[in-house]
Amino acid sequence: MTETPEQQDPTVYKDVVEFVEKYLSVVYRRQVSDLSDTVWCREWWKHTEAIVRLDAVWRAWEHLRQDGATGMSVWFLDHADKHMAVLLDPKGPFKYCSVRNGHKDMLADLPFTPVPDGMFSNPSDSAPSADGADPAEELDRGARADSVRQ
């Protein structure tokens, strides 16, 4: 039986912003100064990676808080500690930000070369070619041939 939204437990925090401001910033205390090896951006919400990671941490917390036995331990060990280690790392998304000087948007997107059309298409979306060959097999054969030529 599927629960309707009215039957599900409501969240404690209405959104990730409230969670960060009222819970995470209080529970997850760290020295974040220009002299420490831990960085944080007061404007964390200007960093896409931080938004996504903190939203995941909040959603995991909302789910795991309902497990009265080991939920919070699982949340810390499997979610908060891992995401916060990345966010607070001096090489992480807040690298150029500081408590004193504020937000600095100096990190560029990771570079990439566009993927050739059809390289990662869903095999169920492609029909066999006119000669009856499977397009996925043709792609795999082509990739093997390319690696042999190199």
Side-chain angles (χ1 to χ4, degrees):
M1 179 172 155
T2 304
E3 292 182 342
T4 64
E6 298 83 35
Q7 294 171 320
Q8 295 174 348
D9 286 337
T11 60
V12 172
Y13 299 99
K14 69 178 181 176
D15 56 30
V16 66
V17 174
E18 186 177 40
F19 174 75
V20 170
E21 291 176 357
K22 293 185 177 177
Y23 184 81
L24 195 68
S25 66
V26 175
V27 171
Y28 229 98
R29 294 178 177 199
R30 297 293 183 273
Q31 179 181 349
V32 288
S33 68
D34 294 344
L35 304 174
S36 73
D37 62 349
T38 304
V39 296
W40 179 256
C41 184
R42 292 175 177 274
E43 297 176 288
W44 59 267
W45 38 266
K46 289 186 176 181
H47 298 265
T48 303
E49 181 178 356
I51 294 168
V52 174
R53 285 182 179 277
L54 292 169
D55 188 69
V57 168
W58 166 57
R59 291 173 188 277
W61 185 88
E62 290 286 359
H63 175 75
L64 290 167
R65 73 179 169 81
Q66 298 176 54
D67 175 354
T70 61
M72 286 297 93
S73 181
V74 170
W75 178 75
F76 270 107
L77 296 174
D78 289 352
H79 300 278
D81 288 347
K82 291 178 181 181
H83 287 292
M84 293 303 288
V86 172
L87 291 172
L88 297 170
D89 188 296
K91 296 177 190 169
F94 303 143
K95 178 179 174 81
Y96 295 107
C97 300
S98 73
V99 175
R100 184 181 335 142
N101 298 319
H103 174 74
K104 299 283 186 224
D105 190 12
M106 297 173 61
L107 291 173
D109 294 350
L110 294 175
F112 67 93
T113 301
V115 176
D117 286 343
M119 185 165 183
F120 291 101
S121 61
N122 185 340
S124 65
D125 292 343
S126 57
S129 61
D131 63 1
D134 180 354
E137 288 178 17
E138 290 178 22
L139 180 61
D140 187 42
R141 261 196 309 277
R144 284 194 307 263
D146 286 345
S147 67
V148 171
R149 282 187 222 119
Q150 292 177 358

